[in-house]
């Protein structure tokens, strides 16, 4: 049976939090989550999290945008409705390529940006009208919270370890909903 109890250790400084995360990992305890009011550089590596693959998806989304731009401009400006704009011929896509570069760039950025936002929300499970999962509202202002799962055998040991790491507050919380 999996325990639903967690310990919340609250810190007031990001450097102290980083040292505490490293100490907890050295002691072989698993950190479930860390809540911070701003991104803390290096926290993902200190927690032992795997690198993200979001950059790969951004590249793929940019390639999709470039493809859509190319196909769209070829169909609209060359095949469907060729126009003589400023004396430029409309006989082939390649002859007009310099004029199409800004559109290609803009659609590449547009697709990458918008699809990345959607991907981030889906990956983070952030839906419209979803209740916040933040365990302590102070973590949106100036406090940092480390959440560690416990069982009856290691609760005291984890609490004692967290006291030595500089936590200003340590709470045992039952996460059962």
């Amino acid at each position: 049976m999996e325990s639903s109890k967690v310990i919340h250790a609250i810190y007031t400084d990001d450097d102290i939090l980083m040292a505490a995360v490293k100490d907890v990992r050295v002691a072989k305890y698993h950190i479930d989550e860390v809540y911070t009011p701003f991104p803390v550089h290096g926290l993902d590596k200190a927690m032992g999290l795997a690198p993200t693959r979001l950059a790969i998806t951004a590249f793929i989304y940019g390639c999709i945008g470039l493809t859509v731009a190319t196909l769209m401009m070829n169909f609209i400006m060359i095949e469907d409705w060729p126009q003589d704009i400023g004396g430029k011929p409309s006989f082939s896509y390649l002859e007009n390529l310099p004029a199409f570069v800004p559109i290609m760039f803009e659609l590449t950025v547009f697709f990458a940006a918008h699809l990345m936002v959607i991907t981030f929300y889906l990956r983070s499970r952030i839906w419209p009208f979803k209740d916040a999962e933040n365990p302590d509202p102070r973590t949106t202002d100036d406090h940092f919270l480390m959440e560690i799962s416990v069982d009856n055998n290691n609760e005291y040991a984890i609490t004692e370890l967290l006291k030595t790491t500089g936590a200003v507050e340590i709470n045992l919380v039952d996460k059962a909903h």
Side-chain angles (χ1 to χ4, degrees):
M1 182 174 132
E2 192 173 316
S3 173
S4 64
K5 289 186 178 181
V6 293
I7 290 180
H8 288 170
I10 297 178
Y11 298 87
T12 56
D13 184 71
D14 57 330
D15 293 328
I16 296 172
L17 171 75
M18 283 291 288
V21 166
K22 291 174 185 175
D23 291 344
V24 169
R25 295 250 313 146
V26 165
K28 304 285 190 222
Y29 293 115
H30 175 70
I31 300 169
D32 292 338
E33 189 65 75
V34 175
Y35 298 89
T36 65
F38 53 83
V40 177
H41 180 69
L43 184 60
D44 52 342
K45 288 185 181 179
M47 288 179 63
L49 299 176
T52 181
R53 295 183 301 268
L54 285 176
I56 296 168
T57 60
F59 177 75
I60 292 168
Y61 295 155
C63 289
I64 291 170
L66 182 63
T67 303
V68 168
T70 302
L71 294 174
M72 177 192 74
M73 289 181 299
N74 185 57
F75 177 73
I76 293 171
M77 298 301 292
I78 306 301
E79 295 175 18
D80 185 45
W81 197 333
Q83 298 176 42
D84 185 1
I85 300 172
K88 295 180 182 176
S90 297
F91 303 125
S92 74
Y93 184 84
L94 289 177
E95 288 177 321
N96 290 298
L97 188 62
F100 293 158
V101 168
I103 300 165
M104 293 162 54
F105 172 77
E106 291 298 333
L107 279 181
T108 299
V109 172
F110 179 86
F111 270 69
H114 286 79
L115 292 175
M116 279 303 298
V117 168
I118 293 168
T119 301
F120 175 75
Y121 284 149
L122 291 174
R123 180 67 181 91
S124 301
R125 295 187 177 108
I126 300 175
W127 321 116
F129 311 109
K130 183 180 181 213
D131 291 334
E133 295 178 5
N134 193 352
D136 191 322
R138 294 178 291 178
T139 60
T140 62
D141 186 23
D142 61 352
H143 285 67
F144 303 84
L145 186 142
M146 183 188 325
E147 184 177 274
I148 303 172
S149 291
V150 297
D151 57 33
N152 295 334
N153 300 332
N154 66 359
E155 177 183 326
Y156 179 76
I158 294 173
T159 303
E160 290 303 312
L161 172 67
L162 291 172
K163 286 179 184 175
T164 65
T165 63
V168 296
E169 186 178 322
I170 300 172
N171 301 315
L172 181 65
V173 179
D174 189 9
K175 285 193 80 161
H177 291 111

